[in-house]
Amino acid sequence: IVDSSALPEQVVGDVLQSAFDSAGQRCSALRILCVQEDVAEAVIGMLEGAMRELVLGDPRSLATDIGPLIDADALQRLSAHVDRMRAMGLRVFQATPIANPPDAARSTGGCYRVPTLIELGGSDGLSLLTEEIFGPVLHVVRWRRDELPALIDRINATGYGLTHGLHTRIDETVALVLDRIQAGNVYVNRNMIGAVVGVQPFGGLGLSGTGPKAGGPLYLRRLVRNLPPHLPSGLREVLPGPTGESNELQYRPRGTVACFADDERGLRLQARLAQSAGNAVVMVRSQLTLGIQKGLDAAPLQLVDAFDATTVDAVLADLPSDRLAQLRAQVAKIERKLVPVIVPDANGSYDLSRLVVERSVTINTAAAGGNAALLAIAADETDAEVTAGNF
């Protein structure tokens, strides 16, 4: 997401890296660029000019910016996607790349795709993307300042939540996006690729993963058996990083946790564990579940007439094998969402770390330079005032 307070020159450089490095085939690559309409023309114009300077060719050459795709199937899928977008009447910009060497595609036998930019229009254009596009193809959305919360909700609704980037010099905008976005790694005022182990632990949410972050403090525990239950002691950890950059690992409640057990003790244990991590609890209404409400936090506890797997973010289950298999099958049918089913170990203990989600936040603190007065502007100031402070 780019707002009107961002510096276009920095934005374009970070977008080029995020979208086109490794021919756009990184899992963290930028797929959708959302630009506030006030600066959209300037940013898109600069971006298209920069795309014309990219060098397409043999990746063994240091002069090459974009190498080949992984195989012919990937090239066919990308070409079909671009043709489909063009057939819808969308504006498609394809740079005429500089070849290195001029006959690079023939000399290496690789499958090359020129860098491409597709304008989807307003934020409702996100619905045109039904799957991830792996390659040097960037989709652009224009948004109005007053629709930023709705834009974030549309992004979350895609189901993918690996990496998210934000370019702004307004602190309130940073706070809004961090509070609302559902992504495992968030980068502010820098590119969104190249996570470093121990600095930016890497892993996503939703369709982009439900497990611990690679390089994070919870990762090793998932590789070892018979460890005691563990829940992070704090809400956040400050991580090391270069000068001018802050890195933080945050632990957030997973959301709504469904509890299933055949006895009161088991249900109470599950509910208390889920609530201890800040989650809301949902149970199917029965004489058993009605009886355990006393002694539990009432606000985050909900009883429902029937279990709807699409409404929960995790499941705690202590059930016989046949019923557990049925529950797993029900959860597995959920579309565009991955919900973990957490069961007790041989000692009756649960992996408490699975009741939280990790989020790595990286902020380029040196990128806020320029007009110092701009940093004090609140998010509810008019776009005209913000733009006037920049251009």
Side-chain angles (χ1 to χ4, degrees):
I1 293 178
V2 177
D3 77 1
S4 61
S5 73
L7 300 175
E9 297 85 356
Q10 181 190 349
V11 169
V12 169
D14 288 343
V15 166
L16 287 178
Q17 287 184 305
S18 301
F20 302 127
D21 269 18
S22 304
Q25 296 173 109
R26 296 176 185 241
C27 59
S28 57
L30 174 62
R31 314 291 179 193
I32 304 170
L33 174 65
C34 304
V35 187
Q36 190 172 342
E37 61 182 9
D38 305 74
V39 293
E41 289 298 330
V43 171
I44 294 173
M46 293 177 63
L47 181 57
E48 291 178 353
M51 289 169 63
R52 292 187 178 95
E53 300 301 316
L54 296 177
V55 176
L56 184 74
D58 190 331
R60 293 172 294 186
S61 170
L62 294 178
T64 295
D65 296 306
I66 300 179
L69 297 175
I70 189 170
D71 56 30
D73 287 341
L75 177 59
Q76 191 278 328
R77 286 193 297 270
L78 281 179
S79 299
H81 171 74
V82 173
D83 291 342
R84 185 167 58 252
M85 295 290 102
R86 184 182 284 111
M88 291 181 181
L90 301 177
R91 178 177 179 273
V92 176
F93 171 80
Q94 292 182 309
T96 302
I98 302 169
N100 176 45
D103 58 348
R106 292 193 301 275
S107 64
T108 64
C111 302
Y112 290 86
R113 178 76 211 184
V114 297
T116 303
L117 183 151
I118 303 174
E119 291 200 48
L120 301 179
S123 60
D124 56 345
L126 291 173
S127 62
L128 299 176
L129 302 178
T130 57
E131 61 182 355
E132 287 189 285
I133 305 300
F134 283 90
V137 177
L138 178 64
H139 305 86
V140 178
V141 165
R142 303 183 186 220
W143 57 277
R144 301 186 314 274
R145 181 75 204 183
D146 60 357
E147 66 174 351
L148 180 56
L151 172 66
I152 299 172
D153 291 344
R154 286 180 182 271
I155 295 172
N156 290 338
T158 66
Y160 297 103
L162 186 58
T163 53
H164 180 81
L166 171 65
H167 271 274
T168 180
R169 292 195 290 163
I170 301 176
D171 289 342
E172 286 81 357
T173 301
V174 176
L176 172 74
V177 173
L178 290 182
D179 179 65
R180 210 171 183 110
I181 196 69
Q182 296 173 10
N185 288 66
V186 182
Y187 300 95
V188 180
N189 292 328
R190 52 151 282 174
N191 68 58
M192 50 189 281
I193 59 173
V196 178
V197 172
V199 177
Q200 295 113 11
F202 191 72
L205 305 178
L207 293 175
S208 300
T210 61
K213 286 182 172 295
L218 302 180
Y219 188 69
L220 184 60
R221 300 183 60 85
R222 294 294 297 277
L223 305 178
V224 184
R225 295 184 179 181
N226 300 321
L227 286 176
H230 172 77
L231 193 66
S233 58
L235 295 177
R236 56 193 64 200
E237 297 182 31
V238 176
L239 301 176
T243 300
E245 180 178 277
S246 69
N247 291 278
E248 185 176 86
L249 182 61
Q250 302 175 351
Y251 301 101
R252 300 163 64 89
R254 189 169 283 276
T256 299
V257 178
C259 297
F260 291 91
D262 284 340
D263 61 274
E264 182 176 327
R265 180 180 177 277
L267 281 174
R268 283 187 181 276
L269 173 63
Q270 291 175 351
R272 285 172 174 160
L273 291 176
Q275 290 176 343
S276 70
N279 296 288
V281 174
V282 62
M283 300 180 186
V284 177
R285 184 178 285 103
S286 68
Q287 290 299 320
L288 182 61
T289 57
L290 286 170
I292 72 162
Q293 283 184 292
K294 185 177 180 180
L296 296 176
D297 296 336
L301 176 60
Q302 179 185 11
L303 298 181
V304 296
D305 294 327
F307 174 57
D308 182 358
T310 65
T311 64
V312 303
D313 302 289
V315 176
L316 290 172
D318 186 3
L319 298 171
S321 58
D322 58 336
R323 291 173 57 201
L324 179 61
Q326 293 176 0
L327 180 61
R328 289 185 185 276
Q330 186 176 358
V331 171
K333 292 179 181 178
I334 303 174
E335 294 185 359
R336 306 193 68 78
K337 188 177 182 181
L338 296 177
V339 175
V341 177
I342 308 166
V343 299
D345 60 20
N347 299 318
S349 299
Y350 294 89
D351 183 355
L352 303 185
S353 66
R354 301 192 71 187
L355 294 174
V356 297
V357 293
E358 304 163 88
R359 184 171 69 181
S360 177
V361 177
T362 298
I363 300 178
N364 178 4
T365 56
N371 185 351
L374 184 63
L375 303 181
I377 295 179
D380 59 355
E381 296 286 349
T382 66
D383 291 332
E385 290 174 309
V386 175
T387 304
N390 264 310
F391 304 106

